[in-house]
Amino acid sequence: MNALATADVGALLQLVPVQRAGLALLLAAVGLPVIGVIIVGLDIMPVRFAMMHVALLGIAVGLLTGLDPMLCALVACALAGAGVAPLARTPDGLSGAMGLLMSLAIAAALLLLAVSGVNASGAFALLWGSILSVGSPDLVVLGALAVVVPALFWWRRRDIGLLLYDRELAQCSGVPVRALTAALLVLVAVAVAGAIKLTGALLVDALTLLPALAARRLGSSLKSITLWAIGIGVVVNLSGFLLALWLDWPPGPVLVLMAGAVVLAVHLVSERRTSPWRAPASASLPSSH
C-alpha cells in the first residue's frame, strides 16, 4: 500500500501543474514567512483579514471587467495597503482602519457581484484556494516577493529592527518611519493576495504568520528569527505538499495543521530569555551597522 502510494506521488510529481504548485510553495516559503515576521513585529494582525476582503473585491472587479482576477486582487491590495499607511501611526489606529476597510470591501464586493450578475463562484473560490491552478503570472508574483522581501529586509535591517522594536525610537533615530511603514504595508498586502491561491484566504496564515510565530521562539536575534522563519516555511511547505499528495488530501488544511504542529512543538522548548521578540530586535541593531 505504501509502495503504491509512493509510486503514485512520483507519478504526480511528473505533472506540470504539480511541479508549478511545488515551485510556488518553495518561492512562498522564502518571502512570505518574512512578511509574517513583519506582521508579528508591528502587531498588525488585522491586516491579514482586511486584505482578504480587499482581494475579494479585486477579484469581483476582474470578473466584471474581464481582466485577470488575481492581478486585480493584487493591485487592489497594494492600493489598500498604501492607502491605510497614513493611519498606521499606532497599532490601534491601524486596527480601526482595517475594520473599516474590511466592512467596506466585502460590502462593495457583494454589491458588485449582485448588481452585475457575474457568477460569484469564481470570486468565492479564493476562500479555499486552488494550488494546482497556479500559472506563470502567479509564479512571477511569488518569485518577485521571494527576492524583494528578503532583499528589503536585509538592506534596511537596522531601520526595520528599530521600527519593530519601538516606533518612537525609530523616529528619533532618523528612520523614515512613514515611508518604511507604507512600504511594509504594501508588501504585506501584496503577499497576502499572492498567497491566496495557494491555500485560500481562510488558511493564508500557514504561509505567513505560523512560521514567524515558531521562529520567534527559536531565534535569538531579528536576523536569526527571520532565517528560522524561512527555514520552517520551506520544510512545512514542501513536506506538507508531499504529504497531501500522498494522502490525496487538500494541501491547504495539511499545510496549516503541519505549521500549527511546529508552533506547538517549539513552545515545548525551554524559554531561554525573558522577551523573545522585542529584546532580540534591539539587541541585534549594533551589529547591523
Side-chain angles (χ1 to χ4, degrees), residues 27 141 143 173 243:
L27 293 173
V141 171
S173 301
L243 180 63

Side-chain angles (χ1 to χ4, degrees), residues 44 53 55 83 90 92 111 169 181 192 213 268-269:
I44 53 173
H53 292 73
T90 64
D92 291 339
L111 181 62
L169 177 61
T181 301
V192 170
L213 290 176
L268 298 177
V269 177

Side-chain angles (χ1 to χ4, degrees), residues 6 31 40 56 59 67 86 95 99 127 129 155 188 196 207 239 247 253 255:
T6 304
V40 173
L56 177 62
I59 288 177
L67 300 174
S95 297
L127 295 176
W155 175 45
V188 169
I196 282 177
L207 304 180
S239 59
L247 297 174
L255 291 173

Side-chain angles (χ1 to χ4, degrees), residues 47-207:
V47 74
R48 306 174 344 271
F49 305 109
M51 292 309 152
M52 295 173 196
H53 292 73
V54 172
L56 177 62
L57 175 59
I59 288 177
V61 172
L63 292 174
L64 177 63
T65 60
L67 300 174
D68 182 79
M70 287 309 299
L71 177 60
C72 292
L74 287 170
V75 172
C77 286
L79 292 175
V84 299
L87 303 176
R89 297 179 180 179
T90 64
D92 291 339
L94 185 59
S95 297
M98 289 296 108
L100 175 62
L101 186 61
M102 276 191 288
S103 302
L104 294 179
I106 191 64
L110 293 176
L111 181 62
L112 186 62
L113 291 171
V115 171
S116 65
V118 173
N119 187 351
S121 60
F124 286 100
L126 72 91
L127 295 176
W128 297 276
S130 181
I131 192 170
L132 294 180
S133 66
V134 168
S136 297
D138 303 301
L139 292 177
V140 170
V141 171
L142 292 171
L145 288 170
V147 173
V148 172
V149 173
L152 176 63
F153 207 84
W154 178 257
W155 175 45
R156 304 304 295 266
R157 61 191 183 279
R158 177 184 176 275
D159 293 349
I160 292 175
L162 275 169
L163 180 62
L164 298 184
Y165 178 65
D166 187 280
R167 185 184 180 91
E168 292 184 1
L169 177 61
Q171 186 81 50
C172 296
S173 301
V175 176
V177 170
R178 291 186 180 181
L180 185 58
T181 301
L184 293 178
L185 283 174
V186 170
L187 281 179
V188 169
V190 172
V192 170
I196 282 177
K197 184 176 282 191
L198 300 184
T199 62
L202 299 178
L203 303 178
V204 73
D205 285 350
L207 304 180

Side-chain angles (χ1 to χ4, degrees), residues 214-248:
R216 70 173 183 170
R217 181 80 177 192
L218 299 172
S220 58
S221 67
L222 184 59
K223 177 181 177 181
S224 64
I225 289 172
T226 304
L227 293 176
W228 268 111
I230 294 174
I232 292 170
V234 170
V235 172
V236 167
N237 284 10
L238 295 185
S239 59
F241 184 54
L242 291 174
L243 180 63
L245 291 177
W246 184 50
L247 297 174
D248 193 23

